[in-house]
Amino acid sequence: MDAQGRGRAENIDPADQWVLNPSTGEYELRLSPSVPQSAVPSPRRSAPSAHQMGAGAPRSRTAAPVAPGRDVPPPRRRRGAPPEEPLPGRRGRRPVKKKSKAKKVLLWTGGTMAFVLVAGAGAGYLYIRHLNGNIQSVSDDGASTGGFSKDKAINILLIGTDKRTGAGNESYGDSGSVGHADTTILLHVSKDRTNATALSIPRDLIVDVPDCPTTQEDGTTKTIDGTDGVRFNTSLGQDERTPSCTMRTVTELTGIKPDNFMVADFNAVKTLTTAVGGVDVCLGKDINDPDSHLNLKKGMQHISGETALAFVRTRHAVGFGGDLSRITLQQNFLSALMRKLKSNDTLTNPAKMIKLAEAGTKALTVDSKLDTISKLKDLGLELGKLNVKNLTFTTIPVLDNPAEKVKATVVLNETTAPQVFDMIKNDVSFTEVKAEKKKEKAAVAARLKGTKSAASEVRVQILNGGAAAGSAQAELEYLQNEEGVSKSENAGNAEKTQSKTTLEYDPDQADQARRLAAILGLTGSQMKPGESVTNSQGLPTMTLTLGKDFKGAGVKLDSSSGATPEGVQKSTADKVECAK
């Protein structure tokens, strides 16, 4: 290369020489063509056409590459030569104006910004690696579903441990404790992301802790024996139990298998509230609790750090002074935190978002299916679709333990608790989904309005799509013998399981569908206008698919939103509740 060529290569803007390698995700240096090339291919430039060069124009030597964005100076005209004529069909070249000082500053600033953006992108990649290094994870030991899915309902087990780790936490209770499942919430997010339920599990609830296969530090697996009739909080920490054991206990208790778990310690409350700039909570009375170190006046209070931790730990100064009263306080706090996380004050503040990323990745321990920023980001995007107005907080229905004279523990309310569990398993909202449009709601309700055909005219095939074995045949016999739906038949098992029972029908069969809906107790949302199928006689027929919500032959279904069992307390995250 001659001196002139070297000079041009040296004048290439450094920012233009860095390109992203899609294979590695890193930025690499792309040097000039005269030196060995990077593995990343650079975009090719097409050669100028004859028309662009001018007919009969002699070929010139290949010019040195020009950095993108730089002006190419026009060729010099020899002294005394006439001005060049424009090519046919083209306008003459406008006289070149001398760049103003303002434009020079703008170009210089643009080049600087390009370099900053390239450097920032590389720094962003390094920062993601840094955050990945912050994440602590432990094995789910096969206790989960294998991780959440974007096209399904999500169940995340949130565990707050009272283990006294971290600076400044030694003064809280037993500093040598291995920790318990002190605060546990099963967060259910609906498949369509319109609503969610946060189900609190009392730490003093008497449960059976199952055998727990647990991964040891050396990679081997050890089964920790289960224990019957113990407090729920012993499912973590005690006898070397890990969060996967708490997950198995929740499945045993509710019949709901969580997708993932997250564990937070005392530091999580302090650092997360500090990262978002504090949250606003309401007190219905003055509180001074020396056990939790909480000392606040009545009314709205802005809390963060140590004060926030004291707020979620206090129990003697609120309600009846027990764990159930503290659960209500914690739900109020989480509602406030959700409102702050979803506010523009947080989402549009880069400094807060960075602090939140640092705090979250350092303070939380997750299962092995959530051990990267990418996975946590995907989960965050799914949770971000939720409107806090449709996030319901509730608690497992319990009763005082009848075996105790001095009430210290609680037992499951066998009347209402199974209904609560079924609503979550069947993806039913505890409150009316406020995001539903009035027109859509009216259209769904209209499916039940109109004439109904006679039961003897109803043609339907029955599929088992998740109910107990034999349910399709049992329902068939009930419809034929008890309801007079004689034109019905058992079509076996559905291709896929589903949570709710549905009835698909052709619009021409709407009167038949309304009759069957009345018999079964179907809601408008369970009726699916679509296409009919052909039965064994070659006649068009509807399709009734029994879902997991099917209770048995002749038992009417009730999957309406907001049908919370009587006596079950609930609140939504958009409302400010005052602790009393």
Side-chain angles (χ1 to χ4, degrees):
M1 179 184 292
D2 56 21
Q4 186 181 19
R6 283 194 298 270
R8 287 175 179 162
E10 290 167 357
N11 287 332
I12 295 177
D13 191 331
D16 296 326
Q17 295 179 277
W18 288 91
V19 295
L20 178 66
N21 186 334
S23 301
T24 64
E26 296 185 2
Y27 284 85
E28 298 180 358
L29 185 63
R30 182 181 66 200
L31 300 177
S32 60
S34 61
V35 296
Q37 296 291 300
S38 164
V40 183
S42 60
R44 294 181 178 179
R45 296 186 180 179
S46 59
S49 63
H51 178 69
Q52 290 171 314
M53 295 179 64
R59 293 183 177 270
S60 61
R61 289 185 301 170
T62 303
V66 180
R70 294 188 177 277
D71 291 329
V72 181
R76 293 183 179 180
R77 183 164 52 90
R78 289 175 295 156
R79 184 176 299 176
E84 292 182 358
E85 291 293 330
L87 293 174
R90 298 199 180 193
R91 292 188 231 169
R93 183 179 291 138
R94 292 181 180 179
V96 179
K97 294 182 179 180
K98 186 177 181 181
K99 290 187 177 68
S100 67
K101 184 177 292 185
K103 287 188 176 181
K104 286 182 179 180
V105 171
L106 183 62
L107 287 173
W108 180 86
T109 305
T112 304
M113 277 302 298
F115 184 78
V116 169
L117 289 174
V118 170
Y125 171 74
L126 293 175
Y127 186 61
I128 289 175
R129 292 184 62 181
H130 161 71
L131 292 177
N132 280 332
N134 286 347
I135 298 173
Q136 298 181 35
S137 65
V138 293
S139 176
D140 70 336
D141 295 315
S144 74
T145 62
F148 78 94
S149 299
K150 295 181 180 180
D151 58 346
K152 296 180 181 179
I154 298 174
N155 292 298
I156 305 294
L157 189 63
L158 307 174
I159 307 170
T161 176
D162 59 354
K163 189 174 182 179
R164 273 69 173 170
T165 55
N169 297 325
E170 300 83 359
S171 60
Y172 296 116
D174 180 11
S175 60
S177 172
V178 294
H180 305 77
D182 195 51
T183 301
T184 306
I185 295 175
L186 179 63
L187 176 63
H188 171 83
V189 184
S190 67
K191 180 179 179 179
D192 61 8
R193 308 297 185 255
T194 62
N195 64 90
T197 302
L199 180 68
S200 292
I201 304 175
R203 68 172 191 175
D204 296 326
L205 173 64
I206 297 300
V207 299
D208 295 337
V209 177
D211 294 343
C212 300
T214 306
T215 302
Q216 305 297 298
E217 291 184 2
D218 60 1
T220 61
T221 300
K222 172 186 175 182
T223 298
I224 300 173
D225 294 337
T227 312
D228 294 342
V230 294
R231 281 180 166 88
F232 175 83
N233 68 348
T234 62
S235 64
L236 176 68
Q238 309 307 300
D239 299 323
E240 299 182 333
R241 292 180 178 129
T242 64
S244 67
C245 195
T246 305
M247 186 178 274
R248 292 185 194 277
T249 305
V250 169
T251 302
E252 183 94 358
L253 173 67
T254 66
I256 303 165
K257 195 170 189 177
D259 300 308
N260 300 96
F261 65 71
M262 293 183 179
V263 182
D265 59 14
F266 284 171
N267 284 333
V269 176
K270 294 192 291 186
T271 57
L272 288 174
T273 53
T274 301
V276 297
V279 298
D280 296 319
V281 296
C282 181
L283 296 178
K285 62 180 181 179
D286 294 349
I287 291 181
N288 186 2
D289 183 1
D291 291 328
S292 67
H293 311 304
L294 181 66
N295 188 356
L296 291 175
K297 296 294 183 181
K298 177 182 177 179
M300 293 297 298
Q301 299 292 339
H302 189 76
I303 62 173
S304 65
E306 292 286 349
T307 305
L309 177 59
F311 184 86
V312 298
R313 291 192 65 253
T314 194
R315 60 188 176 115
H316 298 302
V318 292
F320 296 103
D323 185 50
L324 295 180
S325 298
R326 184 172 67 166
I327 285 177
T328 301
L329 204 67
Q330 291 170 345
Q331 291 174 348
N332 293 348
F333 168 79
L334 290 173
S335 294
L337 181 59
M338 284 293 295
R339 291 193 297 270
K340 190 60 177 286
L341 289 172
K342 295 281 285 185
S343 69
N344 288 333
D345 181 48
T346 300
L347 296 176
T348 60
N349 189 321
K352 283 187 180 179
M353 294 300 289
I354 289 176
K355 288 180 180 179
L356 193 58
E358 286 285 350
T361 52
K362 288 180 179 178
L364 299 176
T365 298
V366 299
D367 68 85
S368 48
K369 304 296 189 299
L370 276 180
D371 59 356
T372 66
I373 284 295
S374 177
K375 295 174 184 177
L376 287 171
K377 177 207 69 177
D378 289 341
L379 176 60
L381 290 175
E382 294 303 309
L383 299 181
K385 298 174 183 177
L386 180 68
N387 189 325
V388 293
K389 293 180 179 180
N390 299 326
L391 170 57
T392 304
F393 286 92
T394 189
T395 304
I396 290 181
V398 295
L399 301 170
D400 286 334
N401 190 345
E404 296 175 339
K405 291 183 178 180
V406 178
K407 304 304 180 184
T409 61
V410 293
V411 296
L412 208 63
N413 184 330
E414 298 290 351
T415 301
T416 52
Q419 299 178 55
V420 170
F421 300 153
D422 285 344
M423 288 180 71
I424 293 177
K425 283 189 285 187
N426 296 323
D427 202 19
V428 178
S429 175
F430 278 61
T431 54
E432 180 182 359
V433 177
K434 300 175 184 178
E436 185 177 32
K437 296 179 181 179
K438 291 183 179 180
K439 289 183 179 180
E440 294 174 346
K441 187 176 180 180
V444 169
R447 296 170 189 169
L448 295 171
K449 298 178 181 179
T451 59
K452 301 180 181 70
S453 66
S456 59
E457 297 177 1
V458 174
R459 287 192 300 272
V460 61
Q461 67 168 8
I462 306 172
L463 293 172
N464 190 333
S471 293
Q473 183 61 32
E475 184 68 0
L476 173 68
E477 293 174 0
Y478 167 77
L479 290 175
Q480 290 181 340
N481 299 329
E482 303 295 332
E483 298 292 345
V485 184
S486 56
K487 298 176 182 178
S488 52
E489 60 185 30
N490 183 354
N493 292 327
E495 293 182 359
K496 297 180 179 179
T497 61
Q498 56 190 54
S499 60
K500 296 180 182 179
T501 296
T502 58
L503 176 64
E504 185 174 1
Y505 58 96
D506 186 276
D508 292 339
Q509 301 168 309
D511 54 347
Q512 296 182 42
R514 286 190 284 268
R515 171 58 63 191
L516 194 59
I519 293 173
L520 300 176
L522 296 176
T523 64
S525 62
Q526 291 173 285
M527 299 173 66
K528 307 295 182 183
E531 298 180 357
S532 62
V533 294
T534 304
N535 65 10
S536 57
Q537 285 78 41
L539 298 174
T541 183
M542 301 182 293
T543 300
L544 174 67
T545 304
L546 305 180
K548 295 178 181 179
D549 60 343
F550 183 74
K551 303 300 181 185
V555 180
K556 286 201 173 188
L557 296 158
D558 184 10
S559 298
S560 57
S561 293
T564 309
E566 186 177 352
V568 176
Q569 299 297 318
K570 62 183 183 181
S571 62
T572 52
D574 61 316
K575 296 178 180 177
V576 178
E577 303 282 347
C578 294
K580 297 179 180 179

